[in-house]
Amino acid sequence: AKKLGKWVMLKTLKKQYRDDPRMVDMLNKEFDARYNLSHPNIVMINDFEDVPGVGLSIICDDVYGTSLRTLLDKNELNDHQYEQLVTRLPMALEYIQQNHLAHRPLRPERIIFTQDIGNLKLIDVGFDQRSSLSRNDTDSDLRAYGDIMTEVLERTGRQDSHIASIARR
C-alpha cells in the first residue's frame, strides 16, 4: 500500500479471521512487542491502524529485494551478501534475544537482501515480547544460524573454515 506517498507493507488478518477476537489479540500483541524496537537489519513497524478495505493492519517498511532462499536456489549469493550473513545476521539475532522476542524459526525465506544496496533485513520477526527467553528459544536461534550458514557454505562452495566451525558448533 501507499501511505503519505511512501510504499509500505501491510500485515493483516485474512478475511475469515478479522472478527476472531483471538486473532485480533495476536495481531495487537505483535504490534505491541515490536513497535518500539529498532535495528537496521530488522524490518521496522511504523503504525497500527484500520485500513479501509483491508482491516486492522500493522504498517511496516516496504522491503524490495530477494530472499536468501531465492539467491541460494539460483546460485546468485554475492560476496557482499555473504559478508552480511556473517556479520549482520548475528547482530540482528543478538538484538532479538536482548529484547526477549519470541519469533518464528529463522529460515532463508525470512532473510531478505534489499534490491538496491543488498542490505540484510529479517522479516516476520517477533510476535511476542517476554520478560525473558527460554534456553530452548535462544538455542533454536543458534541452531538455525548454524543450519543456514552450513547450507550457504555447501550451496555456494565457499571455503570458510572459521564459519564452518561456528556452524558445526
Side-chain angles (χ1 to χ4, degrees):
K2 208 167 197 179
K3 182 177 181 180
L4 303 174
K6 177 184 171 187
W7 286 102
V8 296
M9 288 191 302
L10 305 178
K11 184 169 189 175
T12 192
L13 298 171
K14 291 181 179 180
K15 197 175 243 180
Q16 66 264 32
Y17 301 117
R18 288 184 190 157
D19 295 324
D20 182 335
R22 205 181 51 168
M23 295 293 145
V24 171
D25 185 54
M26 286 175 60
L27 196 64
N28 275 297
K29 196 173 188 179
E30 181 172 349
F31 175 76
D32 288 343
R34 296 235 358 253
Y35 181 67
N36 290 317
L37 300 177
S38 176
H39 190 278
N41 300 110
I42 298 173
V43 172
M44 296 294 302
I45 287 182
N46 301 319
D47 209 348
F48 191 53
E49 62 186 63
D50 194 358
V51 176
V54 176
L56 197 58
S57 301
I58 294 174
I59 314 295
C60 303
D61 287 341
D62 197 9
V63 178
Y64 290 103
T66 307
S67 74
L68 175 58
R69 169 61 56 221
T70 299
L71 292 170
L72 290 174
D73 288 348
K74 292 182 175 183
N75 196 26
E76 293 179 351
L77 188 74
N78 65 38
D79 291 340
H80 173 71
Q81 293 158 337
Y82 177 76
E83 197 59 36
Q84 297 256 326
L85 291 169
V86 170
T87 60
R88 298 295 185 159
L89 184 53
M91 289 191 292
L93 290 173
E94 179 181 35
Y95 183 82
I96 288 167
Q97 290 183 1
Q98 286 173 343
N99 286 280
H100 311 285
L101 285 176
H103 59 91
R104 289 166 188 82
L106 182 65
R107 299 190 333 237
E109 294 80 5
R110 293 193 174 114
I111 300 169
I112 303 292
F113 292 95
T114 59
Q115 185 173 8
D116 294 327
I117 54 179
N119 283 338
L120 182 143
K121 293 281 188 178
L122 292 179
I123 61 171
D124 209 13
V125 172
F127 58 85
D128 189 16
Q129 191 167 24
R130 301 177 181 167
S131 58
S132 67
L133 293 178
S134 72
R135 172 84 183 209
N136 188 48
D137 290 328
T138 56
D139 284 353
S140 101
D141 282 346
L142 295 174
R143 277 191 301 279
Y145 180 73
D147 291 345
I148 287 168
M149 293 312 294
T150 296
E151 182 178 359
V152 166
L153 293 172
E154 289 173 355
R155 300 274 305 265
T156 62
R158 289 180 186 270
Q159 302 298 315
D160 188 334
S161 60
H162 178 68
I163 294 301
S165 172
I166 291 170
R168 278 192 303 274
R169 286 196 348 239

